Amino acid sequence: MGKDARTGGRSRRARVTLREVAQEAGTSPSTASRALAGHGYVAEGLKARIEAAAARLGYVPDVSARSLKGRSSGLVGLVVSDLRNQFYAALAAGVEQTLAAAGHQMVLVDDHGSDTQALDGARAFLAMRAAGVLLAPVGRTATELLVEHGTPVVEVDRRSGVRSCDAVTIDSERGAREAVSHLLELGHRRIAMVLDETVWGTGRDRLKGYRAAHRAAGVPLARRLVLDLGLRPADPQGDVAAFLDANPDVTAVFAANNLVAEAVWQELQRRGSAVPKDCSVVSFDDLTWMRIVEPGLTAVRQPVYEMGRTAAELLLERIAGERGRARTHTLEPEFVLRGSTSAPGTPAEQTP
Amino acid sequence: MGKDARTGGRSRRARVTLREVAQEAGTSPSTASRALAGHGYVAEGLKARIEAAAARLGYVPDVSARSLKGRSSGLVGLVVSDLRNQFYAALAAGVEQTLAAAGHQMVLVDDHGSDTQALDGARAFLAMRAAGVLLAPVGRTATELLVEHGTPVVEVDRRSGVRSCDAVTIDSERGAREAVSHLLELGHRRIAMVLDETVWGTGRDRLKGYRAAHRAAGVPLARRLVLDLGLRPADPQGDVAAFLDANPDVTAVFAANNLVAEAVWQELQRRGSAVPKDCSVVSFDDLTWMRIVEPGLTAVRQPVYEMGRTAAELLLERIAGERGRARTHTLEPEFVLRGSTSAPGTPAEQTP
DNA sequence: GGAGAATGTGGCATCGTTCCCACATGAGAA
DNA sequence: TTCTCATGTGGGAACGATGCCACATTCTCC
């Protein structure tokens, strides 16, 4: 009796299975499966009956069962470093858009810049038989684990160094070179560069570009002009303040990303420095606020959304079976001239 | 031969199953399952052997199989309207943070403000046996479908009107009332309100607050002062321009969200209106750029990240089996005074 | 008129895990 | 000694969808 109550009493709404749909339509699960999936022979009339039954019962196929039987779930993983940063949000939006159009869902993991958390995410993706994974790497371990298990991986924005996976990046060196060349052409000779990592990833390449621009212009480099805040700095604005105090001869600042640019901008405002008269500023990465502030920030715009889309497309091809060698797409940044740069000691020529 | 090549040739790395782990440890799958899951009796020594075997083989449990057998996958769905909007990005970040800490993955769907796409997302969540779903509703259908199938749902930011689900919102009416009262106290009498929907959701409540503030101050309302841009306006700044041309007597603008605030701000800058001397501005929602621009925007700060966290926590309780009646959490917004508001015709008193 | 396509349909094993249950074993109680 | 009971262990049936294969039909062509 008690047993009956627990077993027979279908508490809540039980899940509608394919078997029930088949029963309702007076046929077998096999046929129903074929009808609904659209593979193999099914008579037109029967197919319609099955579809009607499915609709009537509110049938929703079970992806767990499907992906257990088949090779993989339709899930695609994405690992980013900080979702609250507009950069990664835009990236995720581009990825989601492309995946959704192809009928895939996106599982989003925020690793907060930690390799360990990225690895946890990768393990979770493996466990859910993700069809593929996109990631902005913070180390090699996550990529390695996934590639080892045969999951297609596309790296975005940065490269972990694992050769066997596709990647989509933005030409950081070129963007930085253009930005710094612009400052040099304006006559700046003591250009500070502020970044949050110099060893690998985009920071390294942007630093390269900074140096290349100097070399090309025949302007000597001074190590003291490069400020490395370190990853996830506790008080970036304070560090910038100390740096500017120690290097009062700086006439222009090149900020390597939007976080750094914000710290620089706020600090210049705090100390009442006139931009660009007292100090020119260029940012790598162009966010909403940079075109809203007065003067607008001269910036290197990155096609972030497009990067997400491109990476997702590459991944979809791999998922579809593309087997060729690893490909790397490099997207071109765009230099956007606004009011925050001028010749040293000169107010902005234009107020757009 | 050809057949053998396809069947027998275990191309790539085959998935390690529990059976193989058990074999390696010299025991049965049942026992291995118990050892790894931590339920039921397993001798200490054997348990250690099984764990070692699992580690050695790089065993990753298959969630498809697990969730097929059990009730649900550990996946939690989140539906937002526009991931590129910092508001939703912060919301998603809060949700992700809480879910990840509890060992759940987040599947993110961007419905672009379309009910149909939200519904597609809901169906996908159902198909993947999502443990629960968080959504910023754009209609009732998605919530209804999920609730009907017994999936726990928590609505965020807005309410669809479906009574039987939890919700976490921000007190829009109160926030708007405070913002508009502030303007009224400063002496403004022709305060425009700009929003992108007035019929339901947050827009309706913010409009209520706008009206309530006027009533409380005994200031008559003028319908012409409310500008409804409509959802996803093609050229919001242009609409604001036309509106300001048609209503030149406006001395202050209350922008109902960050998108609208941006359009208003840009338009005021374009036409060279001095803020706050010519026109005061208050924004509902406080983004990064609002504290960076000069003067800073007076704004109603919403605890967005916290909203995401709270909603996720509520959902986790439901997933854990909480059965009580639907609960609604209302978070309090915070009025942040900056330089963009002053008495009509007066420059800002403070430049922070 | 019969071989053999072409067109439909259903049976059944399978995917990897869980978990109920049956079965061992040894200790302590009667 | 026989019985319970606690502690372990393994067998095997699900979970729901799929897709191979066998089996029915009907049709076509020599």
Side-chain angles (χ1 to χ4, degrees), chain B residues 118-151:
Chain B
L119 192 58
D120 288 348
R123 254 192 286 267
F125 295 151
L126 240 34
M128 68 181 71
R129 290 169 172 259
V133 173
L134 294 148
L135 51 81
V138 286
R140 337 181 22 125
T141 55
T143 307
E144 271 168 355
L145 178 67
L146 290 164
V147 167
E148 206 168 280
H149 282 256
T151 305

Side-chain angles (χ1 to χ4, degrees), chain B residues 124-178:
Chain B
F125 295 151
L126 240 34
M128 68 181 71
R129 290 169 172 259
V133 173
L134 294 148
L135 51 81
V138 286
R140 337 181 22 125
T141 55
T143 307
E144 271 168 355
L145 178 67
L146 290 164
V147 167
E148 206 168 280
H149 282 256
T151 305
V153 174
V154 177
E155 292 186 335
V156 202
D157 187 45
R158 300 183 287 264
R159 305 243 28 194
S160 69
V162 174
R163 264 186 299 280
S164 50
C165 72
D166 296 338
V168 180
T169 58
I170 281 162
D171 194 337
S172 275
E173 184 175 344
R174 184 179 141 194
R177 209 170 50 232
E178 287 183 13

Side-chain angles (χ1 to χ4, degrees), chain B residues 57-314:
Chain B
L57 298 179
Y59 170 70
V60 179
D62 189 311
V63 285
S64 301
R66 212 207 285 279
S67 54
L68 174 57
K69 187 66 176 72
R71 291 240 139 308
S72 88
S73 68
L75 267 24
V76 169
L78 170 65
V79 184
V80 298
S81 299
D82 177 15
L83 196 49
R84 287 153 107 174
N85 187 328
Q86 262 189 73
F87 176 85
Y88 292 110
L91 183 69
V95 168
E96 200 275 345
Q97 161 87 354
T98 304
L99 292 179
H104 289 270
Q105 308 325 119
M106 176 179 84
V107 181
L108 184 53
V109 168
D110 189 332
D111 64 20
H112 302 281
S114 141
D115 200 10
T116 323
Q117 291 197 49
L119 192 58
D120 288 348
R123 254 192 286 267
F125 295 151
L126 240 34
M128 68 181 71
R129 290 169 172 259
V133 173
L134 294 148
L135 51 81
V138 286
R140 337 181 22 125
T141 55
T143 307
E144 271 168 355
L145 178 67
L146 290 164
V147 167
E148 206 168 280
H149 282 256
T151 305
V153 174
V154 177
E155 292 186 335
V156 202
D157 187 45
R158 300 183 287 264
R159 305 243 28 194
S160 69
V162 174
R163 264 186 299 280
S164 50
C165 72
D166 296 338
V168 180
T169 58
I170 281 162
D171 194 337
S172 275
E173 184 175 344
R174 184 179 141 194
R177 209 170 50 232
E178 287 183 13
V180 175
S181 295
H182 166 67
L183 291 170
L184 288 164
E185 279 162 22
L186 286 172
H188 292 277
R189 285 302 171 265
R190 288 171 311 282
I191 303 170
M193 170 156 189
V194 187
L195 18 53
D196 55 10
E197 43 100 10
T198 54
V199 185
W200 79 297
T202 56
R204 191 190 49 195
D205 293 342
R206 289 171 198 178
L207 185 55
K208 261 194 221 164
Y210 168 85
R211 290 189 176 132
H214 278 78
R215 272 195 302 275
V219 174
L221 285 156
R223 177 158 294 173
R224 70 172 172 98
L225 293 179
V226 175
L227 171 61
D228 182 0
L229 300 172
L231 284 169
R232 284 177 292 165
D235 177 20
Q237 190 178 336
D239 295 344
V240 170
F243 172 82
L244 291 176
D245 287 339
N247 299 277
D249 58 334
V250 161
T251 63
V253 178
F254 173 49
N257 62 42
N258 73 63
L259 256 29
V260 165
E262 191 179 324
V264 168
W265 188 262
Q266 300 252 53
E267 176 53 23
L268 289 173
Q269 262 192 261
R270 191 193 61 77
R271 55 174 61 205
S273 300
V275 174
K277 186 167 171 295
D278 299 344
C279 187
S280 287
V281 181
V282 182
S283 160
F284 200 113
D285 203 0
D286 183 22
L287 299 196
T288 321
W289 67 265
M290 299 179 182
R291 50 168 220 273
I292 295 181
V293 292
E294 190 61 40
L297 243 75
T298 296
V300 178
R301 196 186 88 81
Q302 308 187 71
V304 191
Y305 190 79
E306 289 69 23
M307 181 161 68
R309 295 194 54 106
T310 309
E313 277 160 15
L314 237 48

Side-chain angles (χ1 to χ4, degrees), chain A residues 102-134:
Chain A
H104 288 271
Q105 307 324 119
M106 176 180 83
V107 181
L108 184 52
V109 168
D110 190 331
D111 64 20
H112 302 282
S114 141
D115 200 11
T116 322
Q117 292 196 50
L119 191 59
D120 288 347
R123 255 192 284 266
F125 295 151
L126 239 34
M128 67 181 71
R129 289 168 173 259
V133 173
L134 293 149

Side-chain angles (χ1 to χ4, degrees), chain A residues 30-32 34-35 38-44 46-47:
Chain A
S30 318
T31 306
R34 257 174 288 132
H39 307 312
Y41 295 115
V42 188
E44 271 314 310
L46 182 51
K47 182 171 176 180

Side-chain angles (χ1 to χ4, degrees), chain A residues 17-18 30 33 59 65-66 69:
Chain A
T17 72
L18 192 58
S30 318
S33 173
Y59 170 70
R66 213 207 285 279
K69 188 67 175 68

